[in-house]
Amino acid sequence: MIGLVSSLLVLFAISVPIALALGMASLPLLIGKGIPLIAVPQVVFEALDSFTLMALPLYVLAGRLMQFGGIAERLVDLAKAMLNWVRGGLGAAVVLTSMMFATISGSSAATAAAIGSMLIPEMEKQKYPRPFSAATTASSGELGVIIPPSVAMVVYGVITGVSITDLFIAGFLPGLMIGTSLIATVIAISMIKGYGTREAFVLRPYICGVWSALKRALLSLFLPVIILGGIFGGIFTATEAAVVAVFYALIISLFVYRQIIFRDLPKIFAGAAVTSAVVMIIVAFAAMFAFALHLLRAPQIIGGLLTTLTSDPMMFLLLVNVFLIAVGMFMETFAAIIILGPILAPIAASYGIHPVHFGMIMIVNLAIGMVTPPVGVNLFIACGIAKITMEQLIRPLVVFLVVLIGNLMLITYVPALSLALLR
Amino acid sequence: MRQIVSAIDMLNKGVTLVVAGLLMVVCAAVMWQVTVRFALTMVGINISAPWTEELARYSLIWMVFLGAGVGVRHAQMIALEFGVRALPDRLGIAMRYAAIALAIAFFALLIWVGLKFVDLGRSETSPVLGITKDWVYWAMPFGAALMIVNSLALVADTVLQGRDIRFSADLAPEA
């Protein structure tokens, strides 16, 4: 097993794509055990031949359609109208919009990109420092995979066999909590440092403003009702809800908002397809790696080692969290979930941790990995939009990271947050 | 050389359209399934469409291999690049090329085992659509071949433009 893991790490280090490294590292073992290589395509096709996995490209696509089709824009306007009377309101609107966006889109990158590109320039006009705006966007973008629906949960569910619907339901309260605490953080920092402007609060114009934004956004807001209502009510599976979201977003962007035309569609679909394909190819070859680990009885061995280290589930969760944060700093979120999920989930179960709760811990933890330097997809996106370097981003980011890790600890040690809504 | 690279990019344009089309097929098929299951049942029409799921799954498999194949052209396959980027230029670049060479060898292996699997698939029939499974299994050798072509195009393009191979992912077109 040491050979398997160390060859994987070497391949990662010399920048072999993760999907291929997983396949390559498994090869010597398969050959050594005398398993015919025809097992490779067999395992790979079996992993991809899944109706559940189809939810992944569909949620990515829904996110893109929202980004380009005018839905994101209307959600932004609504959040701004609701929050313009507090200092830091525009920054808080970034978080609030991310939360609304996250109830339709399943992806963090799409959330950060859509909202950042609209609100970072506006924050600049209100004299927010750009690194602060970028840090806000990057950290609230991670809500995309925590508030249901979520691509990360689809991947986790597919790979560990935990019900995706249950994971979606479990993500609701933690997502709400993280969102609220981020809003509080943004407002508190803005008040202390005097960022941004505020408008005087006058009841009538305020209500009029919110009302007209609400009317404009009504069709967009109906979308999460269909998706979440459908999933929670047990009417749709995750995949079915995803396709309904895609068609709803298509129809209102094409015919109601008319912000995209038919000619734009190939580009939007191609973008979503390639983005999803590079994640799904990891899922495919991770199946090969999982097969190799299975041959070595790796979960049992690692589990055995851990149990000699600690028999206390609390301590185990702490170790897992520290380990995952370290992994999340360097590894892409989906890759980490795909590689570590099948190893850690059975160990957690042997400690008596609820599988859905453990899934939430892994997802929330690795979502923070999207915001931790040096490798974090949300950081790259936010830096790109705000045109700042990663170094400039770090200082304002630290506060957000502390808040996020605090949330993670609460989610880890208060299982009810994840499990209360489950039936 | 330059002409070859632009010919490959024409090919990629075509494949990208196919990939977009495959995602459209997935959407349409799953949507049709949902419609049949809910809407038509509600109004009392009872037809079932078991072919939708199979069509969607097979299209998805092709979409993954072709999409990843196109992604290779601009090093979009997810990799941990900060290591080689942080190393001294010569060492980092050498490692990056070594990684590409290893990847090409792996793609070649995938073509080889993939073709053997295609052979097996000829005698396997899909339960609903009734097509032989080699139609599905071709996705792997075909995708792997595209990945080799695109790896070579990436290297050729980088050398021609005198760029640093480690940063080619940053130049990927906005998707």
Side-chain angles (χ1 to χ4, degrees), chain A residues 255-300:
Chain A
F255 302 118
V256 185
Y257 298 160
R258 294 168 194 235
Q259 237 142 316
I260 49 177
I261 51 172
F262 274 101
R263 261 211 316 220
D264 300 330
L265 292 184
K267 196 169 184 295
I268 295 176
F269 274 71
V274 173
T275 312
S276 318
V278 295
V279 173
M280 293 167 76
I281 198 91
I282 304 181
V283 175
F285 285 101
M288 226 177 123
F289 189 70
F291 182 61
L293 285 175
H294 178 75
L295 287 176
L296 292 167
R297 299 176 22 91
Q300 290 91 329

Side-chain angles (χ1 to χ4, degrees), chain A residues 244-256:
Chain A
V244 172
V246 165
F247 271 81
Y248 190 93
L250 260 178
I251 289 167
I252 59 176
S253 334
L254 279 171
F255 302 118
V256 185

